[in-house]
Amino acid sequence: MNRPETTINRLRQRGALSVITPLLLLIVITLTVMALDGARLYSLRSDMQAQVNVAAQAAAGAAQACGGQAPSTALVQQRALAAAVAQGFEGSDQDLNVQLGVIADADSSGVVAFESVDHIARSNAVLVSYTRTEPISMLLPQSVFGGISLSVNAAVRKEVVATVSAAGGTVGVGGDATLLGSLLGVVLNQPGFSLDPTDLNSLENATVQLGDLLTATGVNDLVDLLDLDASELAAAIRDVGTATAPVADLLDGIVTAQGIDTIKVGDIISVVENASVPASSEFPVYDLVISLVLNLAEQQQAGAGGLLSLPLDINNLSVPLIANINTVDLGLNVGEPPTVAVGPARQDEDGEWVTRFYAPDVTLQLSAQVELLPINLGPLLSLSLADLTVPLAVNAGGGEGQLISADCARGTSNSVEFGVNLEREVARIVTGRLTAAGELQPERLEANVGRLSLLSGLLPPIEGILYLNAEVDGEVPGIEETVFLDPRYDLYCDPIEGCDQSQYNDLGDGLSGLDLEITVHEASLLRSSFGLINLTPLLNPILDPVLELLSDVISSLAEGLINPLLRTLGVGLGGISVNVSAANQDGIQLIENIAVEEPEQ
């Protein structure tokens, strides 16, 4: 029986559907499984990424740039693992690869990469990598579809950038009776220049915001500011309204001072690796002014034979043991002006701390005529315990410091503890003068002990019962110590009062550890117009009290005159100070799946 054509076609369609339907169902199921597996793998990779993210963030706080006094690789790994486990990590310790390094734009291409380091002291970042192999499908046979390797990494940079200086304070500053007043008069070519100590003392904690300096100079960031002339920095400090009227006059004088055009802002402010500094960062005004002045002095002393001659009137100065002082001359040589440094607490590839700051390295020359305990009864009798001509040369030693640690803010703490290493060179005081290169040149002093004039005009005066010709050489030992600034630096800046400052003040007491050696070249009795009797060998047994007197006189000059003068420039015999005027922790950076570069061998 012949079936209709339509019936035959219908039967054929049914047969085709019976074959195609299972295949379609199989394809749908396979695609569904693959979609589910894809979602599973994506979710798994997202979980892995979250785990390395939190691990890197936790560990970065223990790297050198933020790890505080004693950062360690073990602590970095512990923090990374603990944070990852808290985020759901279930692998073994070995599955989580933790590396210390730096995040930097090594080739200045604008693309940052992670570079591992061989020592934790160089680190400002942590890279955490995690790799695991998973079957492509949880339902389909692994023997057919195989597995897939999932790899993720995250690097976190965390460091605080601090503004550190060591130009000291404003102790005893002002007027012609101080070194600074005399120095300013010479440097600015304004004899008699004076500053009210009250005005300068008001600057001791005064700061100027970077944003104000940038606006006043018309540049965009701190790196651009460094290439400008120092005169523009002085003008900007004046224009932002920080300075009092006398200080504004000082800044006006600096702007037009001889030699200012050879000094760049980069000579005053040192910025490490073009560190990013927010506009709210602050710089100490006093330290900037002192650095400007000493940079000018360094430039000008070259044309003055290596030594600036400073007028100084100390006739009315009161110094223990000494009745009268007549200054013959005072000279200054600047070896190294101070700097204001901006940077983090870590080392470079050569093992040197990247943020280094310098205290003023200056040498003074003072020639003084000193009279001890004079008694004058007219023509009948006049006497004095001793008359001395004392040429003194004093090298304050200079010094430097390095920012070596920062215990960064974390959790509920919004403060940073800074550690600095301070190195002060040996300070030296001798009877002598300075060479054009600023080196000490020993020279003898003369002392007439027991000057006596009896019946003046009738009897010849005795210039000295005892005459001494001697040299004095003394040293204040250098220091090298690590100091942790207390209290911790608060990162919060008040909108009105500005940022905090954290200071460590140690200008030295001037005489701590001073070891004076006196070498007698000649000792004579009864020096008068008739001549003298040289009895040096016979006088040795009785010289001790006289030498002790000489030592006391030199010490009194150092304590009552030299050390206070040095302190006006922020230095002192045997000490060094440090000031942190700004710090920011804004540079925290998380980069997922960052490019990793191997360090150069």
Side-chain angles (χ1 to χ4, degrees), residues 451-471:
R451 178 181 58 81
L452 175 64
S453 176
L454 184 64
L455 299 177
S456 177
L458 297 178
L459 297 177
I462 297 175
E463 298 297 334
I465 297 174
L466 175 65
Y467 168 78
L468 285 181
N469 186 291
E471 284 185 29

Side-chain angles (χ1 to χ4, degrees), residues 55 59 76-86 89 91-94 96 98:
V76 170
Q77 293 173 336
Q78 289 174 7
R79 287 190 174 183
L81 183 60
V85 169
F89 175 74
S92 64
D93 296 359
Q94 293 74 23
L96 209 63
V98 181

